[in-house]
Amino acid sequence: MVSATGVRALIDERGAEFEGYTFGFLDDMAKREIRRTILKAVAIPGHQVPFGSREMPIARGWGTGGLQITLACVGADDTIKVIDQGDDASVNAVNLRRLIAKTTGARETLTTGEATLIQSRHRIPEERMTAAQILILQVPIPEPLRHVERSVASARAMHAEADYARMWLALYEDVVRNGEVTAGAGYPVMVNGRFVMAPSPIPRWDIPKLNQADTLFLFGAGREKRIYAVPPFTNVQPLEFDDYPFEIEAFPNMSCRRCGATDSYLVTSPQADGGTLSVCSDTSYCDDVLAGRKVENQW
Amino acid sequence: MVEPLLRVRDLTKIYSGKGHHIVACEDVSFDVYPGEVLGIVGESGSGKSTVLQCLFQDVVPTSGAAYLTSFHEGERNMFEADRRERRELRTHRMSMVYQNPRQGLNLMVTAGGNVAERLLAADWRRVSDIRAKASDYLVRTEVPIERMDDFPAFFSGGMQQRVQIAKALANSPELVLLDELTTGLDVSVQAGVLDLVRDIQSRYGVTAIIVSHDLGVIRLLADRTLVMKDGHVVESGLTDQILEDPQHPYTQLLVNCVTN
């Protein structure tokens, strides 16, 4: 055992060796724990692994889970991108990106294709991600059974026994009452035929991208202290009835006002003149289309 | 010789408190044959409901064994099932109708949804099939079909009980456990529910264990009857035999009470 003052003395004496001890804001033990949690999450796709979520310089609920994963994975030679609902320019995205870059020296980018690590809130990029990239999603509520089972202990037992009748019942009730499954963002998915998973509140549009992707998806819920993962080439299927199949959002006769794209997820906002304005949710994709760059968007 | 569907051996449940033990039931053994209705009768506190709760695995018995023919070829003690097997037993092989419908039904889910839950647990994945099957069960139990998508919280007690019976029949369990199913209902509704159960039983040949303190219910429904007192089975046999020619003093008392 080395005492605290002993550690201080060691650092003073052999400072060069200890450089980078707090690389990426988190201390080494925190990073080690988070990396071990990630390994476990990857080993059991879709299973929520608890971890000791640290205090971060942003408030819980503002992406602390995603940020901790990012900081545990990032290296000095990484290029990072932070997405906030498709947009890189929101205050939150800018500040997260700046924090990561400042504490690691990693390069910043706004372009999906250039990034090695992408931290995202509620969107998966339109551009097809590669095996060399990792997508880290911020998760507000990691427990897909939260609204059908109030007890956390019971929900965990249901996962352990693969007992998802209550989840299916909620979907059935939805169909009976509304004629369709109304879940818009965060549509529940079955991962690797075993665990029902909350894919974070990504739109339905992004759900099929999780299936058999080249990319590793990591999910971090800082407030709820859970990490889970979808490794590359994993089966991810939305829960659907045979006669009420899952459908992604449709944008009939609509295109992006800025770039003209018809093959991306559009966000629509009402305008002062009574009309509506639809633009690409993914600003990186919008820029690429506008600049005439051809990017692969088939996942 | 027909094999029994369920064999229960030396079932004992002791509730332990601080410095005292309450024997709820002790060394209860019986067989249930396919297509038969077994009645368990006894006064309040005689342990009859405990037997049912142990069989449905709501309560963990202190000792004893139960063998269901379809569970590991009847060679494995049901009480030693792991959690997953226990869930399978509860959702596919057995079902329970509780005295209080609130215990057996989810009142926040529609009547149809309550029945559908057992079908969904059995991997039914086509809404139209699920609805057809659920409405079939609700029709059988005389729940008006137009109330299928209403919440049982707004149903009368008798109708809640009928929804519960429909739910218990869904997915055709091998064994249905009925715990005091008419106790909370007024006399005219009681008669209706009893008629319904008898009708379903004779038409579909359901195997059931029915627990009641009411000899009238037992007389109407049970082929064979166990009489329990203070946690022990004091007499068992054909229902008619027990009611017409009771041997044990307690049974004699019980039968006398009713006939007088």
Short mmCIF file of all heavy atoms in Angstrom, two decimals, chain B residues 1 53-55 81 144 197 208 243:
data_model
loop_
_atom_site.label_atom_id
_atom_site.label_comp_id
_atom_site.label_asym_id
_atom_site.label_seq_id
_atom_site.Cartn_x
_atom_site.Cartn_y
_atom_site.Cartn_z
N MET B 1 -55.84 -48.49 -15.85
CA MET B 1 -55.85 -47.51 -14.75
C MET B 1 -55.35 -46.16 -15.27
O MET B 1 -54.30 -46.10 -15.91
CB MET B 1 -54.94 -48.04 -13.63
CG MET B 1 -54.98 -47.22 -12.35
SD MET B 1 -56.60 -47.29 -11.55
CE MET B 1 -56.48 -45.90 -10.46
N GLN B 53 -52.33 -22.17 -2.72
CA GLN B 53 -51.26 -21.19 -2.92
C GLN B 53 -49.92 -21.88 -3.11
O GLN B 53 -49.08 -21.42 -3.89
CB GLN B 53 -51.19 -20.22 -1.72
CG GLN B 53 -52.34 -19.22 -1.72
CD GLN B 53 -52.51 -18.56 -0.37
OE1 GLN B 53 -51.78 -18.84 0.58
NE2 GLN B 53 -53.49 -17.68 -0.27
N CYS B 54 -49.70 -22.98 -2.38
CA CYS B 54 -48.45 -23.74 -2.55
C CYS B 54 -48.39 -24.33 -3.96
O CYS B 54 -47.36 -24.29 -4.63
CB CYS B 54 -48.35 -24.85 -1.52
SG CYS B 54 -47.96 -24.26 0.13
N LEU B 55 -49.52 -24.89 -4.42
CA LEU B 55 -49.53 -25.52 -5.74
C LEU B 55 -49.29 -24.50 -6.84
O LEU B 55 -48.60 -24.78 -7.82
CB LEU B 55 -50.88 -26.23 -5.98
CG LEU B 55 -51.10 -27.52 -5.19
CD1 LEU B 55 -52.49 -28.07 -5.47
CD2 LEU B 55 -50.04 -28.56 -5.53
N ALA B 81 -38.81 -26.53 -8.85
CA ALA B 81 -38.64 -25.86 -10.15
C ALA B 81 -37.84 -24.58 -9.97
O ALA B 81 -37.96 -23.90 -8.95
CB ALA B 81 -40.01 -25.52 -10.73
N PRO B 144 -70.17 -9.71 -21.85
CA PRO B 144 -70.63 -9.09 -23.10
C PRO B 144 -69.45 -8.66 -23.96
O PRO B 144 -68.53 -8.00 -23.47
CB PRO B 144 -71.41 -7.86 -22.63
CG PRO B 144 -71.69 -8.10 -21.18
CD PRO B 144 -70.68 -9.04 -20.67
N VAL B 197 -69.31 -22.28 -14.31
CA VAL B 197 -68.16 -23.16 -14.10
C VAL B 197 -68.55 -24.61 -14.38
O VAL B 197 -67.81 -25.36 -15.02
CB VAL B 197 -67.60 -23.00 -12.67
CG1 VAL B 197 -66.55 -24.06 -12.39
CG2 VAL B 197 -67.02 -21.61 -12.49
N ALA B 208 -59.74 -29.51 -12.37
CA ALA B 208 -59.72 -28.36 -11.47
C ALA B 208 -59.66 -28.80 -10.01
O ALA B 208 -60.09 -29.90 -9.65
CB ALA B 208 -60.96 -27.49 -11.70
N LEU B 243 -70.97 -36.38 1.67
CA LEU B 243 -72.10 -35.58 2.10
C LEU B 243 -73.23 -36.44 2.67
O LEU B 243 -73.94 -36.03 3.57
CB LEU B 243 -72.61 -34.74 0.93
CG LEU B 243 -71.63 -33.67 0.44
CD1 LEU B 243 -72.20 -32.92 -0.75
CD2 LEU B 243 -71.29 -32.70 1.55
#
